[in-house]
Amino acid sequence: MNLLCLIRFVPGHTGPRSAILGCDRFEARLPALGAATIHREGLQLLVRFQDIAGALNLISNTLEHAVDEGHAISAGLAQGIRSSATVATSLSGFTEGSIGALFEIAAAAGRQQVAISQKLSSFVQLSAPEFESRFQAGASGDPQSRIRMPLVMTPLARGRNSGAA
């Protein structure tokens, strides 16, 4: 299964250095998971994962480190369907629908949140059940959107305000 992830690193009270280091560290860990950066622009990465458990593990750890290091992340995960067209019309050969769904779900993620769709939660249940309870109903989305009720993962409560960054 191909998963697409759009992740943004947001500078916090410590300034941009922490977010830059967090982004670089995240990107450096991708090859060990068989994942790859499709595109990077500043502190935003578009990534392809093939293993949902590995993806969620890395993203969860990155979410926790962001809180501890003084920056924030905002991320969305969606299933990526490869284009069967001779010449792919979207970024990296994925269908326009896959890219569109990814941007919609990423837009549903707030600061210090990772968003997925209800559909992707079924894959989480099967392939990474240890993360199932980490996703809770998020704010209702745009009624015109394909993603009407995203599920979001936030940092684990460890005696701190999980919304702070």
Side-chain angles (χ1 to χ4, degrees):
M1 164 190 264
N2 284 299
L3 288 174
L4 295 173
C5 175
L6 181 62
I7 184 167
R8 296 177 182 104
F9 290 77
V10 182
H13 67 278
T14 61
R17 182 164 167 66
S18 172
I20 293 166
L21 291 173
C23 187
D24 291 345
R25 205 171 21 253
F26 180 87
E27 189 171 28
R29 293 182 63 195
L30 295 174
L33 297 173
T37 301
I38 295 170
H39 182 75
R40 179 174 179 172
E41 187 172 322
L43 296 175
Q44 179 173 280
L45 294 164
L46 178 59
V47 177
R48 179 196 45 81
F49 288 98
Q50 293 180 316
D51 172 43
I52 196 165
L56 289 173
N57 204 5
L58 176 58
I59 293 168
S60 175
N61 288 336
T62 301
L63 184 65
E64 300 305 323
H65 287 294
V67 172
D68 294 339
E69 295 169 2
H71 62 274
I73 70 164
S74 176
L77 273 172
Q79 184 177 9
I81 307 296
R82 291 275 188 184
S83 174
S84 60
T86 306
V87 177
T89 58
S90 70
L91 191 61
S92 74
F94 288 95
T95 64
E96 290 180 14
S98 293
I99 299 295
L102 174 64
F103 281 107
E104 284 185 34
I105 199 69
R111 188 177 179 98
Q112 292 299 62
Q113 290 185 338
V114 178
I116 64 172
S117 66
Q118 294 278 346
K119 179 181 175 184
L120 193 58
S121 71
S122 299
F123 293 110
V124 171
Q125 291 172 352
L126 295 171
S127 301
E130 65 274 23
F131 287 99
E132 182 180 4
S133 65
R134 293 278 312 269
F135 287 96
Q136 304 299 319
S140 296
D142 178 354
Q144 302 301 317
S145 171
R146 290 176 281 192
I147 313 296
R148 290 196 180 96
M149 181 59 71
L151 300 175
V152 296
M153 176 173 51
T154 57
L156 293 169
R158 298 186 308 203
R160 61 173 144 64
N161 179 356
S162 62

